[in-house]
């Protein structure tokens, strides 16, 4: 009996399975009924379940995590438009103040008739809310003693046991140097158990900064990549979501050099602070059966270019061949796959890195799995790293096993800071929604001390609402606020936080874990953190 249960647990999910919860159709009476009457979850009109899923769930009622998710999504939907308007006003005012060099500068520029009014949100000097929280754009290089002064992102495998020379810098992962608490994470390289050499910048440093600037507009990103980082900007892509009817997915691609590049990097934009639709997608419990891939979060699949959500056929839902594209409405997965193939062909020595923060991390985690589903082995053979920051859960244990089997040489890495709320959603609510994380988690506490958690392991308080962590969560929120105000006195001016960042941190006093999602702490973790070996 136990053997049969284990076999069933590992059996690949079939494409006819799905569970889509239409929160917009849920009534408050339905949510109350779910909590108190304990009706089968598939009996509600706002729940769409495939035949196989309905049979599997039987009379299983929706638990309080399912009901709570619907309440959260209802609240987010209710404030969607007000939040967008408030966000636009706040961003305008912050850019207005910043571009005029402060409030005093506004009055001086009025007097000089040089007042700057930021009407163009696509200008290279216009920053998003994320950019206002953390305006750092410079990459922090490896120590000067680690190699020549070479502003190229160059990643090269080095055979085990090779002795370093004066013109290269590498960290010996297998010898334990990478796991030493005395080695800052910025000097460590995630290499899936092999040695690696980087010149000037670490993989962590480049990916966390790429994930951060992905929140900005195309002109801003291009300016930073080309003029600040001195890399080669390939393109910015704003992609269409047919289910939402809008360009909801953004990503950019860069290489370390225009000629003979060694790295092609893709960075997905994450959850925007004032976009409640993004937050609602993060917490949504809905999933779609994707054949051998298992159960995958339907909202993230839609963002990448899903064609059908009827759950009948994985390859019809996400066909290998690109659907007929409508001009001006590219689909994220297909467009990026095309660009990556072009770049890998152009740079035969290059490897691929995929990254993202928040929702962008979720898309980065699913993207290689879709490549595997479609048999894109030529691309997967050159995939070197998938590194995400503050990533939500994207699938079940079958999905995690699928990625592990299809990418045996690349263990996805998730970086989680403290009680960041986003890596703890969607809730793991079995048997309705069996979400788990895959890959290896590097968990940082408030003092940037990292712990590597084994494959499939999770950060503390995995479903966020465990009352045992309540005091610790609020204590951490206060600690982060105080640390944010005074960290610069120890670490220098690069860590001085302005009023916007500190105000954002104060939001963590109301919703602990919200402020921990800021890319600022992920950048700080990479630059100041260290990780102990298991």
């Amino acid at each position: 009996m136990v053997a049969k249960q284990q076999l069933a647990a590992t059996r690949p999910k079939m494409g006819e399975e799905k569970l889509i919860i239409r929160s917009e159709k849920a009534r408050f009476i339905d949510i109350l009924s779910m909590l108190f009457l304990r009706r089968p979850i598939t009996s509600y009109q706002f729940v769409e379940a495939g035949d196989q899923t309905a049979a599997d769930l039987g009379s299983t009622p929706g638990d309080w995590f399912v009901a709570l998710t619907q309440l959260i999504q209802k609240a987010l939907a209710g404030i969607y438009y007000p939040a967008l308007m408030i966000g636009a006003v706040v961003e305008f005012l912050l850019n207005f103040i910043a571009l005029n060099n402060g409030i005093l500068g506004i009055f001086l520029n009025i007097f000089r008739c040089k007042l700057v009014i930021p009407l163009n949100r696509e200008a290279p000097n216009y920053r998003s809310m994320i950019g206002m929280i953390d305006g750092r754009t410079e990459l922090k290089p490896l120590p000067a003693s680690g190699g020549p002064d070479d502003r190229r992102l160059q990643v090269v495998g080095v055979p085990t046991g090779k002795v370093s020379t004066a013109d290269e810098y590498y960290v010996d992962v297998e010898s334990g140097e990478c796991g030493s608490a005395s080695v800052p994470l910025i000097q460590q390289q995630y290499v899936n158990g092999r040695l690696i050499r980087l010149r000037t910048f670490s993989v962590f440093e480049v990916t966390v900064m790429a994930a951060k600037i992905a929140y900005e507009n195309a002109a801003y990103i291009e300016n930073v990549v080309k003029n600040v980082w001195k890399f080669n900007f390939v393109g910015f892509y704003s992609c269409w979501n047919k289910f939402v009817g809008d360009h909801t997915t953004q990503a950019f691609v860069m290489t370390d050099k225009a000629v003979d590049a060694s790295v092609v990097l893709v960075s997905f934009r994450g959850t925007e602070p004032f976009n409640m639709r993004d937050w609602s997608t993060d917490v949504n419990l809905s999933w779609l059966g994707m054949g051998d891939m298992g159960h995958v979060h339907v909202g993230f699949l839609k963002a990448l270019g899903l064609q059908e959500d009827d759950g009948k056929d994985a390859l019809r839902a996400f066909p290998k061949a690109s659907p007929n594209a409508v001009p001006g409405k590219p689909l994220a997965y297909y467009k990026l796959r095309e660009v990556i193939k072009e770049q890998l062909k152009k740079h035969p020595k290059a490897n691929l890195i995929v990254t993202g923060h928040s929702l962008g991390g979720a898309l980065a985690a699913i993207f290689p799995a879709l490549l595997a589903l479609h048999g894109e082995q030529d691309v997967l053979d050159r995939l070197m790293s998938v590194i995400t920051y503050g990533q939500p859960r994207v699938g079940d244990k079958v999905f995690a096993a699928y990625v592990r089997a299809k990418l045996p040489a690349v263990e996805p890495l998730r970086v989680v800071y403290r009680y960041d709320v986003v890596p703890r959603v969607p809730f793991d609510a079995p048997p309705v929604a069996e979400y788990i994380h895959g890959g290896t988690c590097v968990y940082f506490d408030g003092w940037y001390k990292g712990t590597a958690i084994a494959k499939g392991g999770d950060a503390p308080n995995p479903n966020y609402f465990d009352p045992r962590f309540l005091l610790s969560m609020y204590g951490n929120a206060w600690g982060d606020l105080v640390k944010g105000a005074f960290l610069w006195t120890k670490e220098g001016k690069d860590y001085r936080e302005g009023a916007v960042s500190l105000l954002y941190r104060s939001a963590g006093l109301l919703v602990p874990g919200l402020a921990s999602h800021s890319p600022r702490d992920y950048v700080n973790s990479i630059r100041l953190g260290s990780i102990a070996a298991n």
Side-chain angles (χ1 to χ4, degrees), residues 247-268:
H247 294 83
T248 65
T249 305
Q250 289 75 34
F252 75 92
V253 178
M254 71 179 192
T255 60
D256 59 318
K257 294 177 291 183
V259 179
D260 195 24
S262 55
V263 165
V264 176
L265 185 144
V266 181
S267 180
F268 289 91

Side-chain angles (χ1 to χ4, degrees), residues 190 192 365 385-388 391 403-404 407 410-414 438-441:
Y190 179 68
N192 299 294
S385 290
V386 178
I387 306 177
T388 64
Q391 173 209 313
V403 172
R404 194 177 304 120
L407 307 175
V410 180
E411 175 72 10
L413 181 76
R414 296 179 296 107
T440 296
C441 172

Side-chain angles (χ1 to χ4, degrees), residues 94 128 171 215 410 497:
L94 291 176
S128 71
V171 173
Y215 285 94
V410 180
E497 297 190 22

Side-chain angles (χ1 to χ4, degrees), residues 426-446:
F427 301 125
D428 180 22
V432 175
E434 298 179 293
Y435 283 103
I436 69 162
H437 276 300
T440 296
C441 172
V442 174
Y443 174 74
F444 284 96
D445 65 15

Side-chain angles (χ1 to χ4, degrees), residues 353-525:
I353 297 175
V354 185
T355 191
H357 170 265
S358 192
L359 184 150
L363 304 185
I366 296 174
F367 185 78
L370 290 173
L371 290 173
L373 179 70
H374 294 150
E376 301 286 357
Q377 198 59 45
D378 55 337
V379 179
L380 294 176
D381 285 344
R382 295 169 70 178
L383 177 65
M384 190 186 73
S385 290
V386 178
I387 306 177
T388 64
Y389 301 89
Q391 173 209 313
R393 299 180 178 109
V394 300
D396 64 359
K397 59 186 176 184
V398 176
F399 176 80
Y402 179 84
V403 172
R404 194 177 304 120
K406 295 296 183 178
L407 307 175
V410 180
E411 175 72 10
L413 181 76
R414 296 179 296 107
V415 181
V416 177
Y417 177 73
R418 257 190 176 174
Y419 289 116
D420 182 350
V421 61
V422 174
R424 293 164 170 85
V425 297
F427 301 125
D428 180 22
V432 175
E434 298 179 293
Y435 283 103
I436 69 162
H437 276 300
T440 296
C441 172
V442 174
Y443 174 74
F444 284 96
D445 65 15
W447 304 109
Y448 306 125
K449 297 298 183 183
T451 303
I453 302 175
K455 297 177 181 179
D458 221 329
N461 191 16
N463 265 357
Y464 185 75
F465 283 101
D466 191 332
R468 295 173 296 177
F469 291 91
L470 191 62
L471 289 178
S472 178
M473 291 170 69
Y474 277 103
N476 280 196
W478 277 105
D480 279 350
L481 180 59
V482 173
K483 181 187 66 183
F486 296 105
L487 182 64
W488 68 274
T489 61
K490 177 184 177 183
E491 302 295 344
K493 64 179 183 178
D494 282 348
Y495 300 92
R496 183 189 291 272
E497 297 190 22
V500 177
S501 181
L502 294 175
L503 185 62
Y504 179 76
R505 286 193 184 280
S506 67
L509 304 180
L510 299 175
V511 184
L514 180 62
S516 296
H517 190 56
S518 167
R520 173 178 283 276
D521 275 315
Y522 283 95
V523 174
N524 289 353
S525 295

